[in-house]
Amino acid sequence: MSTAGDVLALVTDPRLVEERRGQIVRAAVKLFSEEGYYTTTIQQIAKAAGVSTGLIYQYFRDKDDILFLTLKLVLDTYEHDIPPQLEGIEHPVERLCMAVWAYCKIVDGLLDATVLAYRSTKSLRADRRALIKDAETRTNNLFEECIATCTRGGHMREVNADLLSYQLVMFAHSWALKHWSLGQRYALAEYVDEGIKILVEPFLTAKGRRALDAMRQRTGSFGSRGTKAARPRAAKKRTR
Amino acid sequence: MSTAGDVLALVTDPRLVEERRGQIVRAAVKLFSEEGYYTTTIQQIAKAAGVSTGLIYQYFRDKDDILFLTLKLVLDTYEHDIPPQLEGIEHPVERLCMAVWAYCKIVDGLLDATVLAYRSTKSLRADRRALIKDAETRTNNLFEECIATCTRGGHMREVNADLLSYQLVMFAHSWALKHWSLGQRYALAEYVDEGIKILVEPFLTAKGRRALDAMRQRTGSFGSRGTKAARPRAAKKRTR
Amino acid sequence: MSTAGDVLALVTDPRLVEERRGQIVRAAVKLFSEEGYYTTTIQQIAKAAGVSTGLIYQYFRDKDDILFLTLKLVLDTYEHDIPPQLEGIEHPVERLCMAVWAYCKIVDGLLDATVLAYRSTKSLRADRRALIKDAETRTNNLFEECIATCTRGGHMREVNADLLSYQLVMFAHSWALKHWSLGQRYALAEYVDEGIKILVEPFLTAKGRRALDAMRQRTGSFGSRGTKAARPRAAKKRTR
Amino acid sequence: MSTAGDVLALVTDPRLVEERRGQIVRAAVKLFSEEGYYTTTIQQIAKAAGVSTGLIYQYFRDKDDILFLTLKLVLDTYEHDIPPQLEGIEHPVERLCMAVWAYCKIVDGLLDATVLAYRSTKSLRADRRALIKDAETRTNNLFEECIATCTRGGHMREVNADLLSYQLVMFAHSWALKHWSLGQRYALAEYVDEGIKILVEPFLTAKGRRALDAMRQRTGSFGSRGTKAARPRAAKKRTR
DNA sequence: AATGAATGAGTGTTCATTCAT
DNA sequence: TATGAATGAACACTCATTCAT
């Protein structure tokens, strides 16, 4: 985990700092996600991390500090886990679709943590809140670039790429934010398939659409792929 | 404010109950929105509402209770303020667009409170959280019906109305959730205009599109209307 | 109820004062007895008495005041309800036994209130506590006189009448204080019968004993009299 | 102090737990006895014990918990301090008398605490109240056994041992409960001497009485022994 | 480097008492 | 007289943070 920001550790050995911080933040992610920031106590985190209360203050300045690194861990996951999944994928349309799919998969693995980010970012001190927002902006830009590339390649018509990338990000986040509702009606892969129909397909040119169809032919829609998350749900509700 | 739910008042006069509850909740909305639920103290609410701490407990069971009615006030506003704005609007496409516009306007007036709803719903006791979610579902249904009507009237092609209505709701909520970013680049009316281009227009049939064009002709796009919120922003970033 | 003490009423009509005070104290006896002094609130008393909270402060200076009159009511009951039951009983031994019986019956009717007196006398302001103790002393004297009369009449040998009267009073009080235990093993009448065997009979002279036997012949032991409280208990434990 | 019951400490070192609990309970006994349970605040206890308020909650669950251990300390003292004083005493009559004497001495050393037990047992949660009553029952049994041994040995005639042991216990408790009155008229040793005359002597057989006389010869009556508590009182009131 | 006992300011909540009507 | 809404001081309890070991 990067020490980025102003989090100060009293311990000098950087190897140990990394390890302990990781240990503590992992416990914090779990607890903050499940119980919320304010209802989780330092003593609970210490216990869950298997360290003493006092030790935490050797690696974090205060509770806010833990929250910051906790949220940063989540945001960093978003940021770092998408690119590897796009590697080797050349076609712009395919890249865009894969980016959506990858993002949704990440959110699916961090359901509670994603909700946590929405709940708790405002609890951070202003300067740190800004850092978190930067990370979010970078994720947004990633989508925006995918869209721009599509457009430049004639696969997509002119759209408000800024706003569309926001919608794609919100689409992924919604999987967590409204999981109490969506999770009952869609398997993850179905959700992504349907989302692409609504937020990507309409903006494709004939050329772009051909590419999408080809991709579907080749890989199947997400919905038909064997994914752990692709289990069909009982109570579905589809477009007729 | 409706007393619906299980909130019990020790005071008998219903007129007074309404008044005091409103007074306290108004203070709470403001404080919770600005400072968050946990960092706001009852004493602060009492002071802001101009009453004594003890009085609050004559109208609310506990702090959770205040949060519940606070969120309920916000959700009820969503639910009750859209329909009147659709009154007299016959054309399905126009109704849909107006619903989006109306919802975004409401969110714009409740920016902080909308963020509060996302931050604090999880802090509620489970039973009350369910009531809040019900209210949210009802708002969603409102959009879904608009879409269904469009489709039935041949103005819109078959879409996943369920998911699209979610996207429309999230679009409105995003105005609050990402206002730190969107608010810098769009005026509200522009935001809505652009949103309709992305989330409504692509699904219209030729017939539906004609209706939309006609509407724009008649009323102007939202962006060109004189609205308080339609003030042009300095740093815009549009589709070229 | 007598206004004795320094309890000040703001209301002038003495008829009304009596009525209201009685009404409130009756509610207080019940509530204090069941829930304790500190855990009973003025609002509860008001509700139970069927008056408003404010009204209570027109008839009592403060909560301590209510407790005082409540305890006084109990002590007065002790003091006033025994003598009538001794009326017409001439024989000193019989008078003593009847006094014990009468006292125990009163305690049996005021089980909780008797416990209350033990719990709460110390909560009173010093001056009032003294008044309560005076009342208790008077009850003690009543027994002491019965014993003295027996001794003077040659029915009882010389005993420490002071201490014996204390034991008799404690015997009655114990019925309330240890009712959780005694009440399971004795019916009231049995309890009194056995008590007299232990605390009266041993001190009687031959003459006194003859009187006691005669009395038992005439009236039966308390245990064999048909009293509401004399229901036989399941789990008895007697002298073999 | 035994940790028996359900009291959970957050602190692990059992040595420290014992020490701190003792420290806090000693302060609590004093304060509860003097001021009562409800009028004593946690802050007062903390201050008197020389610790911080927070610390108390590392060793006690809540205020009720403190009361419980406080009362338990008193009851345990009763239970554990009598047997050693009976050690080596063979004769049943002597044992019984010594038990009474020992009990009264203990009560004399815990005057306020004994009153506290009467005032506050009802303030305990039901399950804990039951534990306290158990302890009381055990003390009662101790007396009952002494009596039974006397009877079996032919030193005492058949009596209701159950009730007599209750009376003996109440006799000891009365020293505390009515100390405002008895303490003015009797020295402790006198009180015990007189008590034995009333509650033990009358039930002895000729054989038992000889044993009692022998004991008195040997050790003197309690009243003539040099005890700290045996200071003669000014205002006495004896059997004429 | 690590522990965990200790701290005490701060919070939600209660309730005796007051007072305008 | 009577009401009951309003007050606010006081209390039990929590928990982030410190520090002696």
Side-chain angles (χ1 to χ4, degrees), chain A residues 117-132:
Chain A
Y118 273 85
R119 291 184 71 190
S120 302
T121 303
K122 250 202 150 181
S123 303
L124 283 176
R125 286 194 338 240
D127 55 331
R128 289 173 169 170
R129 195 158 59 232
L131 289 176
I132 293 298

Side-chain angles (χ1 to χ4, degrees), chain C residues 19-195:
Chain C
E19 186 190 321
R20 288 282 187 236
R21 278 203 180 143
Q23 187 179 2
I24 293 163
V25 167
R26 273 191 302 277
V29 170
K30 188 173 155 54
L31 286 167
F32 287 165
S33 296
E34 287 167 1
E35 306 290 336
Y37 175 63
Y38 286 104
T39 42
T40 298
T41 69
I42 297 283
Q43 348 268 332
Q44 285 176 318
I45 297 172
K47 195 171 185 181
V51 299
S52 67
T53 22
L55 193 71
I56 290 185
Y57 286 85
Q58 304 222 322
Y59 295 95
F60 298 89
R61 209 197 303 294
D62 52 24
K63 204 185 173 188
D64 187 279
D65 217 2
I66 305 176
L67 177 59
F68 172 63
L69 283 192
T70 297
L71 293 179
K72 206 167 169 312
L73 176 66
V74 177
L75 275 285
D76 283 354
T77 306
Y78 288 165
E79 208 171 341
H80 295 133
D81 284 12
I82 301 181
Q85 301 197 43
L86 302 185
E87 217 142 274
I89 300 178
E90 299 295 335
H91 199 285
V93 170
E94 202 167 333
R95 281 184 71 87
L96 177 58
C97 292
M98 277 307 295
V100 174
W101 172 239
Y103 202 7
C104 288
K105 270 194 299 184
I106 295 165
V107 167
D108 189 59
L110 294 169
L111 282 179
D112 285 340
T114 301
V115 176
L116 174 67
Y118 274 84
R119 292 183 72 189
S120 302
T121 304
K122 250 201 150 182
S123 303
L124 283 177
R125 286 195 337 241
D127 56 330
R128 290 174 170 170
R129 195 157 60 231
L131 290 175
I132 294 298
K133 287 176 176 172
D134 287 350
E136 209 182 307
T137 302
R138 283 194 297 276
T139 305
N140 248 63
N141 289 342
L142 194 150
F143 279 97
E144 204 168 341
E145 277 160 30
C146 284
I147 292 168
T149 311
C150 282
T151 308
R152 272 198 305 274
H155 303 287
M156 197 176 257
R157 62 173 168 87
E158 291 278 336
V159 282
N160 186 329
D162 172 51
L163 224 48
L164 184 55
S165 66
Y166 261 95
Q167 279 306 113
L168 288 170
V169 167
M170 287 310 298
F171 174 77
H173 288 175
S174 293
W175 181 246
L177 292 171
K178 311 292 180 192
H179 198 260
W180 54 273
S181 170
L182 298 170
Q184 287 186 296
R185 297 203 302 288
Y186 299 95
L188 174 62
E190 292 172 327
Y191 179 71
V192 177
D193 272 345
E194 295 290 321

Side-chain angles (χ1 to χ4, degrees), chain A residues 33-223:
Chain A
S33 296
E34 286 168 1
E35 307 289 337
Y37 174 63
Y38 287 104
T39 42
T40 298
T41 70
I42 297 284
Q43 349 268 331
Q44 285 175 319
I45 296 172
K47 195 171 185 181
V51 298
S52 67
T53 22
L55 194 71
I56 290 184
Y57 285 86
Q58 304 219 324
Y59 296 95
F60 298 90
R61 208 197 306 291
D62 53 23
K63 203 185 174 189
D64 186 279
D65 218 3
I66 305 176
L67 177 60
F68 173 63
L69 282 192
T70 296
L71 293 180
K72 207 169 167 315
L73 176 67
V74 177
L75 274 284
D76 284 354
T77 305
Y78 289 165
E79 207 172 342
H80 295 133
D81 284 12
I82 301 182
Q85 300 196 44
L86 301 186
E87 217 144 90
I89 300 178
E90 298 297 334
H91 198 286
V93 170
E94 204 167 330
R95 281 184 73 87
L96 176 58
C97 291
M98 276 309 294
V100 174
W101 171 238
Y103 202 9
C104 287
K105 270 195 298 185
I106 296 166
V107 167
D108 188 59
L110 294 169
L111 283 179
D112 286 341
T114 300
V115 176
L116 174 68
Y118 273 85
R119 291 184 71 190
S120 302
T121 303
K122 250 202 150 181
S123 303
L124 283 176
R125 286 194 338 240
D127 55 331
R128 289 173 169 170
R129 195 158 59 232
L131 289 176
I132 293 298
K133 287 177 176 172
D134 287 350
E136 210 181 305
T137 302
R138 283 194 297 278
T139 305
N140 248 63
N141 289 342
L142 194 150
F143 279 98
E144 203 168 343
E145 277 159 30
C146 284
I147 292 169
T149 311
C150 283
T151 307
R152 272 197 305 276
H155 303 287
M156 197 176 257
R157 63 172 167 88
E158 291 278 337
V159 281
N160 186 329
D162 172 52
L163 223 49
L164 184 54
S165 64
Y166 261 95
Q167 278 307 113
L168 288 169
V169 167
M170 288 310 298
F171 175 76
H173 289 175
S174 294
W175 181 245
L177 292 171
K178 310 293 180 191
H179 198 260
W180 55 272
S181 170
L182 297 170
Q184 288 185 296
R185 297 203 302 287
Y186 299 95
L188 174 62
E190 292 172 326
Y191 180 70
V192 177
D193 272 345
E194 296 289 321
I196 284 173
K197 282 189 204 153
I198 286 177
L199 291 170
V200 174
E201 221 173 323
F203 310 107
L204 295 179
T205 56
K207 184 180 169 190
R209 172 173 296 267
R210 274 195 303 275
L212 181 64
D213 286 340
M215 182 185 104
R216 281 179 176 152
Q217 210 83 44
R218 217 172 50 256
T219 62
S221 68
F222 301 115

